[in-house]
Amino acid sequence: MAEHILLRDLDVPDIKAFDVYVQHGGYEALRKAVGMTPAAVIDVVKASNLRGRGGAGFPTGVKWSFIPQSEPVKYVVVNADESEPGTFKDRQILEGNPHQLIEGAMIAAYAIQATAVYIYLRGEFWDIAANLDACIEDARKEGLIGPDVLGSGWSCEMYTHLGAGAYICGEESALLNSLQGLLGQPRVRPPFPAQKGGGLYYEATVVNNVETLTNVPWIITHGAEEYKKIGTPESPGPKIYCLSGHVAKPGNYELPLGITFRELIFEHAGGIPDGKQLKAILPSGASGPVLPATDAVLDTPLTYEAVAQIGSTLGSASIILMDETVNVAWAASKMMKFFAHESCGKCTPCREGTYWLRRRYEALLDGRAQARDIAILDDVASQMTGVTLCALGEFAVNPVRATIKHFRADYEAWIKQEAAEDKKAAKPAPAREKAAAR
Amino acid sequence: MTTTVTIHIDGVPYAVPDGMNLVDAARIYAGVEIPIFCYHPKMKPVGMCRMCLVDLGFEVRDRATGELALNPDGTPQVRWGRKLETGCTTTVRAGMYVRTRTEQVQEARRDVLEFLLSSHPLDCPVCDKGGECPLQNLTMRHGPGTSRMAYDDKLHLDKHVPLGDLIYLDRERCIQCARCVRFQDEVVGDDVLAFHERGRRLQIITTSTPGFDTYFSGNTTDICPVGALTTADFRFGARPWELTNVPSISPHGPVGENIALSMRLDRDSGGVQVIKRVIPRQNEDVNEIWISDKTRFGHHFTLSPDRLREALARKRGELTPVALDDALKAAAKALKEAGNSVGFIGGPMTSNEDFFALRELAAHVGSRKLGLWPATLGDAAPAAEVGIASGSRLTELGKGDAVLVVASDLEEEAPIWFLQAKQAADRGAALIVANLRETKLDRYASRTVRYGLGGAVGFLDGAASDETLAQAANLVVFVGNEGLGADEHGVLLRAAANLLITTGHAGRRNNGLIPVWPGANTQGGFDLGFESAATRAMLQSAPDVLIVVGADVAETPAGAAALDAAKFVIALSLFPDATTAKADVVLPIQSFAERDGTFTNAMRRVQRFYTAQGPVGESLPAWQVIGLLGQRLGMDRPRRSAALVMKALAESVKLYAGMSYPALAEAAVQTPPIGISPGFYGGTAAAPTGGTGLQWPSKAESRAKLSVTPVEAPQAVHAGAGELVIVPLRRLYDRAPEFFASAVMHGRIPQPFVALHPSDAARLGAVDGGRVKLSAGGASLDVTAVVDATAPEGLALLPQRLAPGAFPQEPVAGRVEPVAEAVAAD
C-alpha cells in the first residue's frame, strides 16, 4: 500500500504536530465541510458507506442521520476506550496522528450541529490525553474548535475525559454513564443514544470510534466515490488490523478491507514463527468466536459480511493468532477470566454466568473437571446467549462455545489427565479432532 | 387522556391503557404474572434481573395499504422478535403480541433462577424473608429443582454488614436488583446507597455518615426481593409464617400511614402476643406502600416497662397506687364538687372514640371547655371548608400542577408527604416552599420563598397573584405552624383558604388545603369540637377540674401553671410524665396497639386500627375510663365496645355519618396491587385488609358558596435588646416517651440543641458544640449550641421535646447565654 490514510505517522514524520499536519493538508477537510450544509456532509459520509470501526460495523452516515436536527443540544462522543484484548489501533492514531481524529470529530460535530465533543479515553491513556489536550488547544487557537468555528457561525467545544479502568465502558451506553460521573453500567435501550433521553446527559448523541472518525477527513477531501474504490462495496475503506500472538511481525497493518486472512498473516506479517503450524485465529480479540485455521478460513476475505458468514465477527479486527503449541481450552480460560473480571454485574446472566464459567475453567485447568463439565460449560454459556442486557454478555460466551465447537479435543485433554490419575479411565476418550489441520 | 389499545397475551386479547408497562398491564388487566425481581411499579424499570423475559411480537401490516396481513387461516400474521425481550422495559402499544408460556420463555426463567441461585446461600431456614420471599416463590414456580453449580464454586461473602445502625446487609443473599439503591435515589432523594465494584463482586454500600442516613431506610427491607436487607429491630426475631398481621394506623404524625402490626406470641415477653415488626399496608390514597422509620421502629413504647400499669391517687400528698375503682371514686367526687367548672384536654394520640366519650361527659356535666393539645394551633374551619377534596391523590400531581408548602418542614413533620411532594416535583409539578428558614424540601423546589418572622401571612395573602399558583391545573397547599404563634397559624390557614377560593381551586379533586397538624388525630379532635383555642383559654384561667387525656400539658410553663391552678387534675396517660406528676388521680390507658379505635388524618380520612396485643397492667381504652367516670356521675354504663362508641359517634356527628366500623373496614381496590399475599411485586407491604378508611367531604365539594375573609397578620414576636426569638421546631426524632422507648433509634435522636446563626452566636459568645442556657417566659433549658448558617439571624431554632423541662411551644423572645464550662486548672 502506497500511502497510509489513517496511520499517516508512518509516512510523514511528526505529523502529530499541528504545523506538520496543516502543511500536509490538515484541517482542509474541516474547512471544506463547514462550507457545505450539515446535511450534505452526512450525505457524503452515507454515500461512502463508511462503517463503524469499533466493532459493530454500523454505517456511520446513517448513524449521524438519526440525530434529530430540532434538538438544541447535541453531542459527539469519541469512543477511545480501546480495551478489547489484542486491539491497539486507536492508540497509534491517538499517539501518531491525533489531529486527524480531532478533525474527523469536528466534521462529525458539524454534520449533526453538536455543541460539544467529548473524547472518552481509557484510564491508562493519561499521557495520550495530556497530549490530546495540547493538540485541542493548538486547534482552538486557530479557530478550528470553540466559538464560531472557521467563521461558520457554529460553535463547538472539545474535551477529553479519562475512564477509570473498566472494559464495559467501551460499550457506548456504559461509556455515557461513566462520562456523566455515574456507575459504568450499560443503559436499557430504547431510548438509544441518538434519541433525546438516551445520549450524553440524556441529549441526542453520536458515539463513534476513533478509527471511524479518522477516516472522515479523507472522505470529505476525496469524496465518497474515491473512498469506495478501496475495499469491497459492502465494506469499503482501509482498516487497521492489529496482529498479535504467534506471528512473525506483530503490529498494526493498515490495509484495505477485503484482503484475506492468508494475505494478511503470511504476505504482510511474515507468517508463523519457528516453523510452527497456525492452529487457531481470534479475529476480533476475546469477543469474537475463535476460528480454526483451515484453508477455508484463511481464504476468507476480511470484511464484515464474509467473517460473519464463517461464524465469527470482524469486530475491531484485533487478530490474535495461536500456533499448534497452544491448548485452546487454556486460552478460553484466560478469556473467561477476563470477562468475569470485566462483567459490570448489572444483569443476572452475565454477572453469574461469567463467574460460574470462570470457576469451571479453573477446575478444568486444575484437573478437577469431569467429562460432563464440558457440557456444563457449553450449557451455561448457551443460557447466557440472547438474554443479557448488553453485548458484553453476548460476547462473553464466544470463548466457550466456539472453542468447544472447534477444539473439543483440547478440553478433553485436560479431563483425560485427571481421569488417568483417578485410574478410572474406563472408556477411551474420543479420537482427537484434527483441529489444527494446517 | 390515555387511550385503550388491544394487545394479545398468550393468544387472548385484552384492552389495556396505551403506554402502560407490560408487566403491570399483564398483571392488572390479564391476571398474567410475568415474574420479576428488579422491577417495581413505584420505580423506573431497569431490566437488570432478566426474569421478566417474554416473547414479543407485532402484527404485520401491509406497508402500502396499512391493512393487516393475514395467515391462510384468517388469523393475523405476527412477526415475533429474534430474541426474548424484558417485559418490564416494554410499554404496551396497539398490535402487540406477548407469549409468556412458551418453552423458550420458561427456559429463560429457569436459567435466570439457576443463575441467581448459583451464588445465593440458600439459607432460607434461617432467613427473615423465608416464607414471604419472591426468590423462594418464583423458584418454586419457575425454577430448576436442582443446581449444576459445584458447591466448591460458590462465592462466600460477608453476612453481617451494617449499613448503619438500623439496616443490615447480607451480601450473600443480595441479588443485585438495585431496588434499594433506586428507592433511595428516585423515591426519597437521599441517595445514600450505591453499588460498589462490578461483576460478581458488585455490592451495596452506603455513602453517608452515619450510614444509611435517611428517614425511610426500613422501606428498603420491604421491597428487597430476598432477605439481603433486614432491620436491626426484627432480624432473627420471628419467622414470617408465625406472624399475624393486624391492620393498624401509625400513631405518629398527621399522615395516618396505614400499617400492619406483625404479631407473635413471644417467649422473651412472657409468652404474650407482641409486635415483632411494623410493615406498611397499602393505601394509595395515603402512604402508598411507604412508611417512615419513626412509624416502623417507633412501636416499642407500647410494651415499655415505663408504661403506667395501675391507677394512682394522691394520698397525703403522694401519688400512690390504688385500685381503679378507688381512683375513679376520687375523681368522681372531685367532678361532682366542681359542677360545670370542668375542662377537658385531649392529646395527639387520643382517638375519635375517646374524644367522643369526653364530649359526652362534658355535655353531662354542662361544660363546653373542650381543649386540644398542643395549645399552639389555629382552628380547623378553613380546612373543613377547602381541605383537600375527597379522593385526591398526591401521587397524581405532576406537570401543570402546583404544590405549595408554607411554614412546615415536611420531612420532619410528615415524612410521607415529603416523599409525595418531592415526587410530584419530579413529575413536573411546580413546588414552592416558603418558610423562614431553609428546609430539605428546598432541594426539590422550583422556587423557595424566605420570609421573616411574622411574614408568612403576608406572603400567602399575596400569593393569589402568583401566576404559577393561579394557573396551576391543580393546587395543593400544605400549611404548618413553624415559627408561628397560635393566632398567626389560624390566620395563615385562613389565608390559604382564601388563596384556594380566589384561584378557583377549592372543592376540586386533587386540590385543597392540607394542614400539617402535629398529631395522629388532631384532625379528629377538631372534628369532634375540641379546639386548641379552648386549651389556651383554660391555661389562662384554669377550671376547677382538669381532665387531661394523653397530653403532656406540663411540657409548657403555661400548662404546668394551669395544672397547679386547677383544684383537681385527672390525668389519663400512657406514661408517668410531668403532667401525671401534678395530677391528683392518674388513670392508665391503652395504646393504639391494645385496643380498637379510629384516627382521622389531616386529609380528613377516618381510619381504623385494631386490637393487636393484650393490655398493659390495668390500663383500659380512654373512652372506657371516661365512660366509667361518667357512670359514677349518673350517666349510662359505658358502651360495651369501641364499635358501639363509633356507632353513637356516627349518629351524632354529622361529618362522620355512616362511618360505622364495618364501613370503615372496607378496602378500596389498590392499583397496582402490591400488598397482596404472596406479593406479586415482592416485598412485604400488607394487603389493605382492615379497611382503607373514609374521607368526609369538605364544604367546598358540596358547591357551597365560599367567601374570602380578609386577613391581617397579627403582631409578630419582637426580641428586646440582648434577646433572640426562640422558635420551636418539630423534629421527627424526639425524646417524647412514645418514641424514645424505641432504644434502636437512640443513635439517631440528636442531643438537645439550639441552632444559631453564626453572627448571633459570635455576638452571644456561643461556640459550636458549647453549652447554652435558653430562658424565656420564666422557663429555662440547658442545651448544646449548633452554629448553623441556615438559621435566620435573630432566631434561635429549638427542636422540641429533646431537652427535659418545660418550655414555650410558640415563638417567644428570650435569652441565650453561654454556660461557663468548668475549666481544668493547668
Side-chain angles (χ1 to χ4, degrees):
Chain A
M1 194 153 168
E3 278 227 319
H4 290 89
I5 290 173
L6 307 170
L7 302 177
R8 290 175 71 199
D9 50 318
L10 300 175
D11 305 329
V12 184
D14 217 23
I15 195 159
K16 63 174 179 265
F18 180 77
D19 298 342
V20 180
Y21 182 68
V22 170
Q23 277 161 29
H24 288 80
Y27 290 108
E28 285 308 316
L30 178 59
R31 261 176 231 284
K32 184 174 173 187
V34 300
M36 300 158 68
T37 65
V41 176
I42 294 177
D43 285 343
V44 172
V45 176
K46 250 190 192 168
S48 77
N49 199 17
L50 167 64
R51 298 177 62 171
R53 302 296 198 240
F58 192 82
T60 305
V62 177
K63 195 185 234 185
W64 293 2
S65 67
F66 288 156
I67 298 290
Q69 286 302 322
S70 54
E71 290 299 331
V73 180
K74 300 178 280 278
Y75 297 114
V76 167
V77 171
V78 182
N79 186 343
D81 188 62
E82 182 166 60
S83 38
E84 184 63 39
T87 311
F88 37 83
K89 61 188 180 64
D90 295 344
R91 176 177 183 155
Q92 189 171 344
I93 294 172
L94 291 161
E95 285 180 338
N97 193 12
H99 282 289
Q100 192 167 330
L101 165 68
I102 293 171
E103 187 176 5
M106 286 306 286
I107 294 169
Y110 177 76
I112 67 158
Q113 293 288 293
T115 46
V117 177
Y118 289 86
I119 305 175
Y120 184 95
L121 300 119
R122 61 178 293 161
E124 294 83 348
F125 284 178
W126 52 271
D127 53 340
I128 293 176
N131 185 53
L132 212 49
D133 284 340
C135 294
I136 291 169
E137 205 42 51
D138 288 340
R140 191 199 310 277
K141 275 185 204 145
E142 298 300 319
L144 298 161
I145 298 172
D148 190 17
V149 174
L150 293 170
S152 64
W154 160 71
S155 303
C156 183
E157 281 301 326
M158 186 178 284
Y159 309 96
T160 58
H161 183 87
L162 284 170
Y167 173 70
I168 186 62
C169 291
E171 194 280 342
E172 62 180 4
S173 66
L175 185 154
L176 296 176
N177 272 353
S178 173
L179 195 48
Q180 280 178 230
L182 304 173
L183 194 62
Q185 290 188 334
R187 298 177 182 172
V188 169
R189 278 152 294 186
F192 293 93
Q195 294 169 298
K196 171 97 178 165
L200 183 63
Y201 301 112
Y202 314 107
E203 303 289 353
T205 300
V206 157
V207 184
N208 279 145
N209 171 259
V210 168
E211 186 187 348
T212 313
L213 291 172
T214 308
N215 276 281
V216 169
W218 198 95
I219 294 171
I220 296 296
T221 307
H222 297 85
E225 287 312 309
E226 281 301 305
Y227 188 77
K228 282 203 283 194
K229 288 178 185 164
I230 311 165
T232 70
E234 291 81 20
S235 300
K239 178 82 193 82
I240 304 175
Y241 302 97
C242 312
L243 254 72
S244 62
H246 291 130
V247 60
K249 293 191 280 179
N252 283 325
Y253 292 85
E254 181 186 328
L255 294 164
L257 283 162
I259 62 158
T260 64
F261 279 105
R262 195 188 300 278
E263 287 171 306
L264 177 66
I265 297 165
F266 293 96
E267 285 175 25
H268 293 278
I272 312 304
D274 304 330
K276 295 279 195 317
Q277 292 290 314
L278 180 60
K279 180 177 179 181
I281 303 172
L282 283 166
S284 43
S287 294
V290 71
L291 292 169
T294 59
D295 283 334
V297 167
L298 285 172
D299 291 327
T300 302
L302 287 154
T303 64
Y304 295 102
E305 310 77 41
V307 181
Q309 232 160 40
I310 57 168
S312 190
T313 58
L314 180 60
S316 55
S318 42
I319 298 166
I320 302 173
L321 304 177
M322 291 180 258
D323 72 15
E324 58 193 307
T325 62
V326 176
N327 181 302
V328 177
W330 170 85
S333 82
K334 295 289 169 197
M335 290 186 268
M336 190 42 66
K337 193 175 173 186
F338 172 79
F339 282 116
H341 186 260
E342 295 297 345
S343 167
C344 81
K346 183 168 181 176
C347 76
T348 307
C350 181
R351 178 182 68 241
E352 307 291 346
T354 54
Y355 170 77
W356 189 356
L357 290 168
R358 195 198 81 190
R359 295 287 290 173
R360 276 298 91 194
Y361 272 109
E362 285 169 7
L364 187 78
L365 267 53
D366 287 354
R368 288 185 282 115
Q370 298 165 316
R372 69 187 177 104
D373 278 312
I374 301 178
I376 288 181
L377 284 171
D378 204 25
D379 275 5
V380 171
S382 78
Q383 73 189 47
M384 287 169 65
T385 309
V387 296
T388 57
L389 183 68
C390 80
L392 189 149
E394 294 285 301
F395 294 155
V397 303
N398 285 334
V400 187
R401 303 195 71 187
T403 54
I404 292 177
K405 182 178 165 197
H406 297 297
F407 301 97
R408 180 176 277 269
D410 285 14
Y411 283 82
E412 285 162 351
W414 290 99
I415 287 164
K416 232 175 77 181
Q417 286 169 11
E418 189 248 3
E421 280 162 25
D422 280 5
K423 300 189 195 318
K424 282 192 283 184
K427 62 175 179 187
R432 277 198 175 204
E433 248 179 80
K434 288 261 187 261
R438 285 190 33 83
Chain B
M1 291 294 104
T2 44
T3 51
T4 299
V5 294
T6 300
I7 64 168
H8 285 73
I9 302 178
D10 298 326
V12 183
Y14 298 98
V16 300
D18 194 11
M20 191 180 206
N21 186 292
L22 176 59
V23 170
D24 293 341
R27 176 71 188 80
I28 296 164
Y29 292 90
V32 171
E33 297 194 351
I34 299 173
I36 43 164
F37 288 113
C38 69
Y39 175 65
H40 194 284
K42 296 284 180 192
M43 295 183 280
K44 289 190 203 101
V46 285
M48 290 166 71
C49 74
R50 318 305 283 177
M51 191 63 201
C52 62
L53 289 167
V54 291
D55 202 1
L56 207 60
F58 288 93
E59 61 194 15
V60 182
R61 282 181 186 274
D62 188 289
R63 285 212 176 186
T65 63
E67 274 180 35
L68 272 181
L70 299 178
N71 290 317
D73 64 356
T75 54
Q77 276 184 27
V78 179
R79 186 177 293 122
W80 295 98
R82 196 169 52 84
K83 297 197 291 185
L84 299 180
E85 296 285 341
T86 44
C88 76
T89 58
T90 303
T91 48
V92 300
R93 55 189 166 95
M96 182 179 274
Y97 281 70
V98 186
R99 289 192 294 216
T100 71
R101 292 181 205 158
T102 61
E103 182 54 38
Q104 192 191 8
V105 170
Q106 287 177 7
E107 198 178 298
R109 292 172 181 171
R110 200 158 52 233
D111 291 349
V112 168
L113 281 163
E114 186 183 26
F115 278 135
L116 286 174
L117 296 172
S118 71
S119 56
H120 194 75
L122 297 171
D123 56 351
C124 311
V126 296
C127 178
D128 277 359
K129 207 77 167 190
E132 54 185 17
C133 172
L135 182 56
Q136 260 185 343
N137 292 341
L138 293 183
T139 301
M140 291 297 168
R141 208 169 306 161
H142 305 290
T146 56
S147 175
R148 293 170 298 168
M149 182 86 167
Y151 188 75
D152 287 349
D153 286 354
K154 282 233 174 201
L155 189 66
H156 295 290
L157 297 164
D158 290 346
K159 294 186 74 70
H160 304 277
V161 182
L163 289 177
D165 45 4
L166 296 175
I167 308 293
Y168 283 79
L169 167 66
D170 184 322
R171 288 206 165 125
E172 282 194 340
R173 292 180 188 159
C174 177
I175 61 166
Q176 287 83 17
C177 71
R179 275 186 177 184
C180 53
V181 177
R182 286 146 54 209
F183 169 76
Q184 285 300 134
D185 185 25
E186 284 177 38
V187 179
V188 181
D190 293 331
D191 51 348
V192 295
L193 296 183
F195 270 136
H196 184 57
E197 275 284 0
R198 67 174 181 240
R200 193 58 201 83
R201 290 153 298 158
L202 193 71
Q203 54 193 270
I204 306 294
I205 54 162
T206 176
T207 54
S208 65
T209 312
F212 212 160
D213 190 16
T214 174
Y215 283 159
F216 303 94
S217 65
N219 294 300
T220 60
T221 67
D222 295 334
I223 57 176
C224 180
V226 291
L229 294 175
T230 51
T231 67
D233 204 31
F234 175 66
R235 66 199 306 248
F236 310 135
R239 310 315 312 275
W241 57 84
E242 303 167 339
L243 299 171
T244 307
N245 286 336
V246 178
S248 194
I249 300 296
S250 171
H252 302 292
V255 177
E257 293 149 276
N258 287 216
I259 54 176
L261 307 175
S262 296
M263 309 301 299
R264 194 190 72 166
L265 298 174
D266 196 58
R267 180 196 62 188
D268 297 339
S269 309
V272 300
Q273 188 93 340
V274 302
I275 302 173
K276 296 302 288 183
R277 67 172 182 190
V278 174
I279 57 172
R281 187 163 54 98
Q282 189 179 15
N283 190 339
E284 293 297 311
D285 289 319
V286 183
N287 54 312
E288 307 167 60
I289 54 161
W290 314 125
I291 57 176
S292 73
D293 284 354
K294 182 169 189 175
T295 293
R296 186 179 303 269
F297 301 118
H299 64 85
H300 291 277
F301 75 93
T302 63
L303 285 178
S304 162
D306 297 337
R307 281 276 300 270
L308 281 170
R309 284 162 194 275
E310 49 197 349
L312 308 171
R314 214 164 272 283
K315 283 188 180 167
R316 287 182 293 280
E318 289 292 310
L319 275 178
T320 316
V322 295
L324 181 63
D325 251 10
D326 294 341
L328 288 170
K329 202 157 117 190
K333 180 166 172 279
L335 278 169
K336 276 179 193 151
E337 285 167 8
N340 70 354
S341 181
V342 183
F344 303 83
I345 300 176
M349 289 188 195
T350 306
S351 81
N352 290 320
E353 295 75 9
D354 305 342
F355 278 122
F356 186 68
L358 283 176
R359 185 168 129 150
E360 287 190 312
L361 179 60
H364 182 74
V365 302
S367 161
R368 304 181 71 166
K369 297 185 171 64
L370 301 178
L372 200 56
W373 192 260
T376 53
L377 306 175
D379 67 301
E385 275 178 34
V386 302
I388 188 157
S390 317
S392 296
R393 279 189 175 175
L394 299 176
T395 53
E396 289 176 7
L397 298 175
K399 211 167 173 54
D401 302 329
V403 177
L404 174 60
V405 181
V406 190
S408 176
D409 184 349
L410 269 191
E411 196 203 16
E412 299 285 348
E413 298 176 37
I416 296 301
W417 289 340
F418 169 86
L419 285 193
Q420 292 175 333
K422 180 240 168 209
Q423 287 186 285
D426 290 346
R427 287 187 296 267
L431 174 63
I432 301 177
V433 181
N435 203 336
L436 42 71
R437 67 181 177 107
E438 191 180 316
T439 62
K440 195 151 152 195
L441 197 58
D442 289 7
R443 283 189 202 171
Y444 311 102
S446 38
R447 181 149 39 106
T448 57
V449 176
R450 206 62 79 236
Y451 50 74
L453 203 63
V457 172
F459 157 71
L460 200 49
D461 200 26
S465 58
D466 182 299
E467 278 189 15
T468 314
L469 298 175
Q471 289 170 10
N474 295 299
L475 173 62
V476 171
V477 186
F478 288 94
V479 174
N481 66 337
E482 184 170 302
L484 308 179
D487 295 340
E488 195 181 0
H489 184 215
V491 177
L492 189 67
L493 287 164
R494 175 53 60 192
N498 288 349
L499 169 68
L500 286 157
I501 296 167
T502 313
T503 57
H505 289 103
R508 288 163 36 202
R509 191 168 164 274
N510 292 343
N511 287 273
L513 168 64
I514 303 179
V516 188
W517 302 128
N521 200 34
T522 306
Q523 181 67 46
F526 278 119
D527 294 347
L528 291 165
F530 290 72
E531 294 276 354
S532 191
T535 307
R536 294 195 289 280
M538 283 185 263
L539 301 188
Q540 290 285 321
S541 83
D544 288 354
V545 174
L546 255 180
I547 301 183
V548 181
V549 181
D552 189 2
V553 174
E555 69 187 352
T556 68
L563 293 173
D564 291 338
K567 285 185 189 144
F568 200 87
V569 175
I570 303 166
L572 282 66
S573 184
L574 290 168
F575 288 94
D577 54 24
T579 299
T580 60
K582 289 180 182 291
D584 299 283
V585 166
V586 180
L587 299 161
I589 55 172
Q590 292 176 356
S591 77
F592 79 109
E594 296 134 43
R595 44 163 293 188
D596 284 14
T598 55
F599 289 147
T600 307
N601 79 357
M603 291 167 79
R604 305 184 320 283
R605 181 172 293 272
V606 184
Q607 309 189 99
R608 273 187 77 175
F609 53 87
Y610 293 73
T611 305
Q613 62 192 20
V616 169
E618 294 182 344
S619 64
L620 293 172
W623 62 263
Q624 204 173 351
V625 177
I626 298 156
L628 289 169
L629 206 49
Q631 193 182 358
R632 287 180 177 272
L633 298 177
M635 292 172 69
D636 288 347
R637 56 180 298 175
R639 294 186 182 82
R640 290 196 170 254
S641 72
L644 292 172
V645 181
M646 193 64 188
K647 186 163 175 274
L649 190 163
E651 281 161 10
S652 82
V653 179
K654 224 176 105 199
L655 296 175
Y656 286 52
M659 293 195 187
S660 65
Y661 271 17
L664 292 169
E666 276 175 30
V669 172
Q670 303 293 313
T671 307
I674 298 171
I676 53 169
S677 185
F680 165 68
Y681 291 102
T684 34
T689 321
T692 44
L694 293 169
Q695 236 171 339
W696 55 266
S698 69
K699 267 196 205 117
E701 289 170 67
S702 60
R703 300 177 195 282
K705 251 207 141 97
L706 299 167
S707 54
V708 168
T709 317
V711 294
E712 198 178 332
Q715 193 68 41
V717 182
H718 183 73
E723 288 184 326
L724 295 177
V725 175
I726 301 169
V727 175
L729 307 179
R730 275 175 10 220
R731 255 186 101 90
L732 193 64
Y733 296 164
D734 59 21
R735 286 167 192 257
E738 293 81 10
F739 183 63
F740 200 67
S742 292
V744 68
M745 300 304 293
H746 285 187
R748 302 276 161 145
I749 302 174
Q751 291 300 310
F753 74 92
V754 65
L756 302 170
H757 187 268
S759 69
D760 288 331
R763 190 163 45 79
L764 298 163
V767 294
D768 192 58
R771 301 270 299 274
V772 290
K773 187 177 151 201
L774 306 181
S775 37
S780 69
L781 286 183
D782 212 357
V783 298
T784 305
V786 170
V787 179
D788 179 354
T790 70
E793 227 175 320
L795 304 187
L797 305 174
L798 176 69
Q800 292 178 43
R801 300 198 181 91
L802 285 180
F807 208 76
Q809 292 180 336
E810 290 178 81
V812 61
R815 293 190 173 276
V816 179
E817 294 151 323
V819 176
E821 311 255 356
V823 180
D826 287 316

